[in-house]
C-alpha cells in the first residue's frame, strides 16, 4: 500500500487516453444529430470517471473514488471501470489502469473480506466511528458485509482477462484473496458459524444487521448469507437472491481461472462446490408467487418461509440477472419476475411525468434511479425500449449532462448525489449497448 507521498491526484482532461478520446468521438458519430444529447451526456460521463475519481499509485495500483465520498467501494469501483474494457482491448495503458484497480481490490480483500469500502491510506477515516463490529482497522471506511462486494472484483478480474488477454493481475495477492472469499462464502452458508457482527448505534434500522448486529432467524438453504444489500442497506432477510445469483456466476469464473490459467484444482473444486450449493439453494428457496399466482424470484428470503417481493435499484438486483450472466433475458421465470417488478406489486416502482422506473428504500419515495433505468434497458431485447430510456435519462439530468443517484420522477431538478460515477457509467454502457458495443462476458 502507498502513503500520500506515493499517490497522484485525479487525472486532468488532458490525461484521458487517446483511445478513450477516439472512442468518445466514435460514439458521437454513431449518435449523429438524432441523438446528439446522448453523445453530450456520454462524453461527459465517460470522461468524468477518469478525470475526477482515479488515483494512480507509484506501485501500479489504482484507487477509485465512488464520487462524492472519499473512499473506494469494491462494488462501485468495478462497475465504474467495466465499460472501459471495450476500449482497453486495444490500449495497453488503459489495460494497466484497470489491472491496477484489480490489484488494489484484492489487496483490500486480503486486509478484510467483510469490509465494503476502504481508505486510500491507513488514515483511520470512517463513515461512522461508533460502528460496533468484531474487527476494524485504519484501512476500513466501512465494514458492512455484502456478498456482492466480493463478487464484483472477481467479475472484473475475469472480464479483464476475457477482453484483453492479460493475466498479470492473477498474482499471489489475487490467489490469497480468492481463498479469503471462498472462506467467507463457505462460512456464511451457515451464519451461526460466523463471528461477523455489525451494529451502528443510531435510529435507522437500515444501518445495522438485526438482533444487535448478529442477524435475524434463518434456516440453512445452500445460499450464502449477506448482512447488507448493494445499497449498503441492511437485509431484512439474510439470503439476498440477486447477490447469490451473482455469487454463482463468479464461482464459475473462479473455476475457469484456476483450471485454464492458474492450474489449482483445489481452489477450482471449492468454487464448484459453492456454485452447486448456491444454485441448489436458489432452485429450492428463492421463488415465490406474484398476485397472478405465477412463480417469480423473491428479492430476499430466510429459508423459514419468509420472503420479500421487491427489487432495489442497486446492482446486483433481480432485474440484472441476465446482465450478470445468471440467465438469458428471455428466460420465462426471469420475464415473469421482470414484469412483476415493473408494476405496482413492487413497492419501489414509481411512476411520474418523467419516468416510470424502480427506486429504492435508500432514497425518498417517488425517486427513481438512473442505474435501475439503465439496467432495464441493458436487459431488454427491445431497441425501442432502450431508446425511450436513454431519452428519459438525458431529459432528467437537470442540465448537468451527468447522471445522479436518484431523481423525483415528477421533477428531475430534485435529485440525490450530484456526483455519482457508477450512475454515469451505467448510462454510458447503455449507449454502447444500443449501438451493439459490448464487454465480452
Amino acid at each position: 500500500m502507498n502513503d500520500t507521498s506515493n499517490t497522484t491526484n485525479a487525472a486532468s482532461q488532458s490525461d484521458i487516453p487517446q483511445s478513450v478520446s477516439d472512442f468518445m468521438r466514435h460514439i458521437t458519430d454513431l449518435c449523429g444529430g438524432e441523438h446528439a444529447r446522448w453523445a453530450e451526456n456520454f462524453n461527459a460521463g465517460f470522461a468524468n470517471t477518469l478525470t475526477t475519481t482515479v488515483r494512480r499509485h507509484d506501485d501500479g495500483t489504482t484507487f477509485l473514488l465512488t464520487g462524492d465520498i472519499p473512499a473506494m467501494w469494491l462494488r462501485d469501483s468495478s462497475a465504474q471501470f467495466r465499460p472501459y474494457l471495450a476500449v482497453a482491448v486495444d490500449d495497453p495503458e488503459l489495460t494497466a489502469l484497470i489491472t491496477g484497480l484489480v490489484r488494489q481490490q484484492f489487496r483490500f480483500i486480503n486486509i478484510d473480506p467483510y469490509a465494503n469500502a476502504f481508505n486510500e491510506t491507513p488514515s483511520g477515516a470512517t463513515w461512522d466511528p461508533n460502528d460496533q463490529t468484531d474487527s476494524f482497522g485504519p484501512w476500513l471506511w466501512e465494514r458492512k458485509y455484502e456478498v456482492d462486494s466480493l463478487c464484483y472484483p472477481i467479475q472484473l478480474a475475469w472480464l479483464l482477462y476475457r477482453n484483453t488477454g492479460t493475466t498479470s493481475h492473477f498474482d499471489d495477492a489475487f490467489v490469497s484473496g480468492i481463498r479469503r472469499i471462498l472462506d467467507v462464502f463457505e462460512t456464511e452458508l451457515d451464519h451461526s458459524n460466523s463471528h461477523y457482527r455489525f451494529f451502528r448505534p443510531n435510529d435507522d434500522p437500515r444501518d445495522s444487521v438485526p438482533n444487535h448486529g448478529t442477524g435475524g432467524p434463518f434456516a440453512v438453504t445452500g445460499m450464502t448469507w449477506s448482512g447488507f444489500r448493494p445499497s449498503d442497506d441492511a437485509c431484512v432477510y439474510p439470503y439476498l437472491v440477486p447477490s447469490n445469483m451473482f455469487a454463482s456466476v463468479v464461482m464459475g469464473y473462479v473455476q475457469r481461472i484456476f483450471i485454464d490459467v492458474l492450474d489449482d484444482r483445489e481452489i477450482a473444486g471449492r468454487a464448484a462446490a459453492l456454485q452447486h450449493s448456491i444454485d441448489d439453494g436458489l432452485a429450492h428457496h428463492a421463488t415465490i408467487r406474484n398476485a397472478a399466482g405465477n412463480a417469480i424470484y423473491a428479492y430476499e428470503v430466510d429459508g423459514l418461509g419468509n420472503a420479500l417481493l421487491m427489487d432495489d435499484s442497486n446492482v446486483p438486483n433481480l432485474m440484472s440477472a441476465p446482465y450478470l450472466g445468471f440467465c438469458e433475458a428471455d428466460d420465462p421465470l426471469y420475464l415473469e419476475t421482470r414484469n412483476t417488478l415493473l408494476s405496482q406489486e413492487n413497492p419501489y416502482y414509481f411512476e411520474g411525468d418523467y419516468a416510470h422506473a424502480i427506486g429504492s428504500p435508500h432514497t425518498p419515495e417517488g425517486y427513481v434511479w438512473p442505474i435501475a433505468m439503465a439496467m432495464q434497458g441493458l436487459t431488454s431485447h427491445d431497441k425501442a425500449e432502450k431508446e425511450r430510456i436513454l431519452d428519459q435519462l438525458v431529459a432528467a439530468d437537470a442540465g448537468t449532462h451527468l447522471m445522479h443517484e436518484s431523481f423525483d420522477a415528477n421533477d428531475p431538478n430534485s435529485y440525490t448525489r450530484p456526483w455519482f460515477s457508477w450512475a454515469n457509467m451505467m448510462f454510458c454502457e447503455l449507449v454502447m449497448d444500443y449501438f451493439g458495443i459490448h464487454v465480452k462476458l
Side-chain angles (χ1 to χ4, degrees):
M1 296 292 181
N2 296 295
D3 60 23
T4 54
S5 64
N6 291 327
T7 305
T8 64
N9 293 324
S12 67
Q13 190 77 26
S14 62
D15 290 328
I16 295 175
Q18 186 63 46
S19 62
V20 172
S21 296
D22 292 343
F23 186 70
M24 290 160 60
R25 282 191 291 271
H26 177 55
I27 293 294
T28 300
D29 291 341
L30 290 173
C31 289
E34 182 181 7
H35 299 305
R37 292 190 66 189
W38 297 4
E40 189 172 25
N41 283 41
F42 180 91
N43 291 335
F46 210 66
N48 183 269
T49 292
L50 289 174
T51 59
T52 64
T53 69
V54 175
R55 302 289 189 266
R56 304 184 188 201
H57 293 177
D58 288 347
D59 64 357
T61 58
T62 306
F63 186 91
L64 204 62
L65 299 172
T66 185
D68 54 2
I69 300 173
M72 183 173 115
W73 265 254
L74 296 175
R75 167 187 56 253
D76 295 42
S77 60
S78 300
Q80 286 167 252
F81 261 17
R82 172 175 164 144
Y84 295 126
L85 288 165
V87 185
V89 61
D90 297 316
D91 186 343
E93 177 189 353
L94 193 55
T95 296
L97 189 68
I98 301 169
T99 300
L101 176 61
V102 174
R103 286 177 170 157
Q104 185 72 280
Q105 289 175 330
F106 277 88
R107 287 185 181 184
F108 285 151
I109 288 168
N110 279 303
I111 290 172
D112 189 339
Y114 281 96
N116 58 324
F118 295 82
N119 296 310
E120 187 173 7
T121 66
S123 63
T126 179
W127 179 271
D128 191 330
N130 297 311
D131 289 348
Q132 299 173 17
T133 185
D134 55 290
S135 177
F136 213 79
W139 288 102
L140 276 57
W141 172 263
E142 193 170 56
R143 197 172 186 260
K144 290 182 172 180
Y145 173 60
E146 304 153 353
V147 166
D148 71 279
S149 289
L150 297 180
C151 295
Y152 267 106
I154 298 173
Q155 181 201 54
L156 185 62
W158 166 259
L159 294 178
L160 178 60
Y161 165 64
R162 179 85 170 89
N163 286 269
T164 70
T166 189
T167 60
S168 60
H169 55 298
F170 295 147
D171 55 14
D172 289 346
F174 175 82
V175 175
S176 175
I178 291 293
R179 290 186 182 277
R180 298 291 300 277
I181 292 170
L182 295 175
D183 289 345
V184 169
F185 282 178
E186 289 166 350
T187 296
E188 299 299 344
L189 293 175
D190 183 352
H191 183 63
S192 63
N193 297 323
S194 175
H195 296 291
Y196 176 76
R197 63 184 296 270
F198 187 93
F199 180 76
R200 180 168 290 168
N202 61 22
D203 295 327
D204 190 343
R206 297 175 303 173
D207 274 338
S208 298
V209 174
N211 195 22
H212 207 80
T214 59
F218 68 93
V220 173
T221 63
M223 289 182 282
T224 192
W225 182 97
S226 191
F228 292 86
R229 302 169 177 172
S231 60
D232 302 328
D233 290 344
C235 294
V236 173
Y237 302 122
Y239 298 116
L240 182 54
V241 171
S243 287
N244 272 274
M245 292 174 171
F246 199 9
S248 171
V249 171
V250 300
M251 287 301 99
Y253 294 157
V254 171
Q255 292 169 66
R256 295 169 75 174
I257 292 167
F258 283 88
I259 291 174
D260 298 343
V261 183
L262 295 180
D263 192 23
D264 189 322
R265 301 301 170 118
E266 184 262 336
I267 288 179
R270 289 176 66 187
L274 270 166
Q275 185 179 41
H276 176 77
S277 175
I278 291 168
D279 285 345
D280 188 65
L282 289 166
H284 288 92
H285 297 277
T287 56
I288 55 175
R289 298 282 172 176
N290 62 13
N294 299 321
I296 63 169
Y297 284 113
Y299 184 69
E300 291 174 355
V301 299
D302 62 3
L304 299 170
N306 297 301
L308 286 182
L309 193 167
M310 61 164 283
D311 207 18
D312 190 70
S313 293
N314 292 270
V315 180
N317 54 7
L318 293 173
M319 187 69 68
S320 69
Y323 174 84
L324 300 174
F326 180 76
C327 66
E328 296 298 328
D330 57 359
D331 176 83
L333 180 56
Y334 171 75
L335 287 176
E336 189 68 34
T337 304
R338 178 188 181 92
N339 291 336
T340 304
L341 299 175
L342 295 174
S343 78
Q344 296 301 327
E345 284 194 70
N346 175 7
Y348 301 104
Y349 174 78
F350 303 115
E351 296 185 353
D353 294 337
Y354 287 85
H356 297 178
I358 295 173
S360 172
H362 197 70
T363 48
E365 185 174 357
Y367 279 55
V368 296
W369 283 51
I371 286 176
M373 295 170 70
M375 186 54 64
Q376 182 181 339
L378 286 164
T379 52
S380 173
H381 286 315
D382 185 353
K383 197 164 185 180
E385 183 177 15
K386 299 176 191 289
E387 183 176 20
R388 174 180 58 79
I389 290 170
L390 286 166
D391 285 340
Q392 289 179 345
L393 285 169
V394 297
D397 69 2
T400 66
H401 305 304
L402 296 171
M403 299 296 105
H404 304 117
E405 178 189 51
S406 69
F407 65 88
D408 186 335
N410 286 306
D411 180 12
N413 290 310
S414 296
Y415 56 81
T416 61
R417 296 189 69 177
W419 179 20
F420 193 32
S421 179
W422 185 10
N424 290 331
M425 297 308 284
M426 291 299 296
F427 169 82
C428 291
E429 192 163 358
L430 180 56
V431 174
M432 293 162 57
D433 174 80
Y434 182 85
F435 293 113
I437 302 169
H438 304 109
V439 174
K440 291 189 297 184
L441 295 179

